[in-house]
Amino acid sequence: MAVAPPSYCFVAFPPRAKDGLVVFGKNSARPRDEVQEVMYFSAADHEPGSKVECTYISIDQVPRTHAIVISRPAWLWGAEMGANEHGVCIANEATNAREPAAETEAFLGMDLVREDPGGLDTPVSWASSRERTCHKTRI
């Protein structure tokens, strides 16, 4: 089983960050030649019963999504990292599983960054988001 290269997140709080700002960042363990897009999506209301097309599967859409800025590989729906309009920042981290992933299409860890309860799109508070950790694994 191949081992994923390390990826790391960091956060700097005042007084280490200037002007009272909080700085959040992440390096990417993605292939060097893979295009990373920085995208903005406006907050939106969605029809009851509607679906959202994730990277490989469709899931039920939440009634309202937050405005988000994300960085993602161009080929997928999810996000490597991002922030929403409420200041919640999330990034995924590579993990190495002891068991091989199923060979079926699944919801990716990068999709979780964007849509999971506590993800950037989903309307929850910072207090509930801060306890969550998303990993780059298939579920």
Side-chain angles (χ1 to χ4, degrees):
M1 175 175 2
V3 175
S7 60
Y8 303 100
C9 295
F10 72 89
V11 62
F13 294 98
R16 298 285 187 230
K18 292 183 178 182
D19 301 323
L21 300 174
V22 175
V23 178
F24 175 80
K26 180 188 184 303
N27 73 317
S28 177
R30 305 295 306 167
R32 240 185 283 181
D33 60 347
E34 183 177 69
V35 175
Q36 286 278 326
E37 300 175 327
V38 176
M39 307 283 297
Y40 171 78
F41 295 93
S42 300
D45 292 313
H46 304 282
E47 293 295 321
S50 63
K51 299 280 190 185
V52 60
E53 291 291 326
C54 301
T55 304
Y56 295 121
I57 65 170
S58 296
I59 62 172
D60 293 336
Q61 178 62 278
V62 296
R64 177 152 180 84
T65 51
H66 295 309
I68 59 172
V69 175
I70 60 172
S71 172
R72 69 177 184 187
W75 64 271
L76 64 74
W77 177 84
E80 180 91 30
M81 65 177 280
N84 71 20
E85 64 188 286
H86 302 288
V88 174
C89 298
I90 303 175
N92 82 319
E93 293 281 340
T95 60
N96 294 302
R98 294 180 187 193
E99 297 179 22
E103 294 297 323
T104 59
E105 293 182 343
F107 197 60
L108 301 179
M110 283 198 244
D111 294 339
L112 284 170
V113 169
R114 190 164 166 183
E115 187 66 23
D116 181 51
L120 295 172
D121 273 348
T122 311
V124 296
S125 69
W126 178 84
S128 63
S129 296
R130 67 189 168 131
E131 300 299 326
R132 304 183 70 78
T133 305
C134 296
H135 297 283
K136 190 191 299 180
T137 56
R138 291 182 175 194
I139 60 169

